[in-house]
């Protein structure tokens, strides 16, 4: 019986990955298909919902590790306060070691900028910020639409 469980877990994972990839590709191809793009511009049915903003921070060119580390105690303290206050949903180190990624619990990029620009690293102009509004996976709406709207 243990062997069956080990065989089905990878299959479930593969199935989930295939479904996620298919939905993502459906969304990407639907954005390039003019007939679907026109349908998506219909009232509110397919407009994206913004549930947060992802902020990618990268040290600016020429900024040294020492410059960043001198500001880190204040940066960490203010970041933790924002997290405890519910403004920052999650934060991660970048895999390449060049910065961090924040998920800010706001509904637009302007609000995220206001939060991030008040942090010590931003005030010292040591980091570049990239802001990306995020929300639920748009192609999932296609699964929920009535059959006549999917065509």
């Amino acid at each position: 019986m243990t062997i069956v469980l080990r065989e089905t877990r990878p299959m479930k994972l593969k199935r989930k990955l295939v479904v996620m990839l298919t939905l993502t590709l459906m969304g990407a191809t639907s954005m390039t298909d003019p007939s679907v793009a026109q349908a998506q511009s219909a009232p509110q049915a397919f407009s994206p919902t913004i549930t947060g903003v992802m902020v990618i921070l990268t040290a600016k060119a020429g900024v040294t590790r020492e410059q960043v580390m001198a500001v880190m105690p204040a940066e960490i303290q203010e970041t933790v306060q924002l997290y405890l206050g519910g403004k920052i949903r999650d934060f991660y180190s970048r895999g390449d070691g060049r910065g961090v990624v924040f998920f800010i619990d706001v509904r637009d990029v302007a609000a995220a900028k206001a939060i991030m620009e008040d942090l010590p690293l931003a005030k010292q102009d040591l980091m570049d910020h990239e802001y990306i509004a995020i929300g639920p996976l748009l192609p999932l709406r296609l699964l929920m639409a009535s059959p006549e709207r999917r065509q």
Side-chain angles (χ1 to χ4, degrees):
M1 187 165 197
T2 305
I3 295 171
V4 173
L5 288 176
R6 287 185 182 160
E7 289 178 355
T8 58
R9 284 185 184 165
M11 290 304 294
K12 284 183 181 179
L13 178 60
K14 286 179 185 176
R15 191 176 314 127
K16 285 181 183 179
L17 289 172
V18 167
V19 168
M20 288 172 51
L21 180 60
T22 301
L23 290 172
T24 301
L25 291 174
M26 283 173 41
T29 56
S30 70
M31 290 177 202
T32 60
D33 182 5
S35 62
V36 176
Q38 289 172 353
Q40 287 185 354
S41 65
Q44 292 289 330
F46 293 103
S47 63
T49 301
I50 306 300
T51 58
V53 175
M54 180 174 66
V55 184
I56 302 171
L57 278 72
T58 308
K60 289 189 175 213
V63 171
T64 66
R65 178 173 171 74
E66 290 77 23
Q67 288 174 292
V68 172
M69 293 310 292
V71 181
M72 285 310 292
E75 181 80 9
I76 291 168
Q77 187 174 18
E78 290 190 35
T79 299
V80 170
Q81 287 300 320
L82 288 168
Y83 175 76
L84 293 173
K87 299 285 186 193
I88 295 176
R89 187 181 313 155
D90 288 307
F91 47 99
Y92 300 93
S93 294
R94 288 180 40 165
D96 60 7
R98 296 182 50 222
V100 296
V101 177
F102 288 94
F103 289 90
I104 311 296
D105 197 14
V106 294
R107 300 300 175 247
D108 60 49
V109 170
K113 284 182 179 182
I115 290 169
M116 297 307 296
E117 289 173 0
D118 202 33
L119 290 172
L121 285 170
K123 287 180 181 177
Q124 298 268 335
D125 199 30
L126 298 175
M127 306 296 278
D128 284 324
H129 297 75
E130 180 181 356
Y131 296 88
I132 303 169
I134 58 173
L137 186 62
L138 193 58
L140 291 176
R141 292 182 190 268
L142 295 173
L143 293 176
M144 302 305 294
S146 61
E148 58 273 359
R149 289 198 69 168
R150 282 187 237 161
Q151 296 177 6

